Amino acid sequence: MAFTVKHKRSDEEGRRPRPESLLEGQFAINSNDATPGVFMKTGREKVIKIGPCHVDEVEPPTSFNRSFGKGELWLDITNDTNKLKVWDGQKWRTVS
């Protein structure tokens, strides 16, 4: 017998799930074209982004319960320079 699994989801730009809204290991999806992402709750009560890399001239938005996880990526395409940046837990650092 077939069944459908529907993960928690949103299509609101920049929206992330809150840790208290997920169970450990549970996935959530943002399907907005501008800020898509797949998220998961860890065993340490944090929500991490699994992908994809944010691509834009401006850094990812900090609204809508946005707390970046260490290692998240942003491809800064300002003036076609294409600089890959990584979140170190406090700020975006350019990868050299």
Side-chain angles (χ1 to χ4, degrees), residues 16 35-40 47-54 60 66-73:
R16 287 180 174 235
T35 59
V38 177
F39 305 89
M40 182 187 81
V47 174
I48 61 168
K49 183 176 181 183
I50 298 170
C53 175
H54 181 80
R66 185 75 172 187
S67 64
F68 304 113
K70 287 183 182 179
E72 285 193 41
L73 300 174

Side-chain angles (χ1 to χ4, degrees), residues 44-80:
R44 294 188 181 193
E45 302 295 312
K46 293 185 177 186
V47 174
I48 61 168
K49 183 176 181 183
I50 298 170
C53 175
H54 181 80
V55 180
D56 204 340
E57 293 177 350
V58 296
E59 68 181 59
T62 56
S63 58
F64 304 112
N65 189 39
R66 185 75 172 187
S67 64
F68 304 113
K70 287 183 182 179
E72 285 193 41
L73 300 174
W74 164 33
L75 181 60
D76 183 356
I77 58 172
T78 305
N79 300 322
D80 294 321

Side-chain angles (χ1 to χ4, degrees), residues 4 12 20 23-24 40 42 48 53 66 71 74 77 87:
T4 301
E12 188 174 344
E20 61 270 14
L23 300 172
E24 182 180 330
M40 182 187 81
T42 69
I48 61 168
C53 175
R66 185 75 172 187
W74 164 33
I77 58 172
W87 183 254

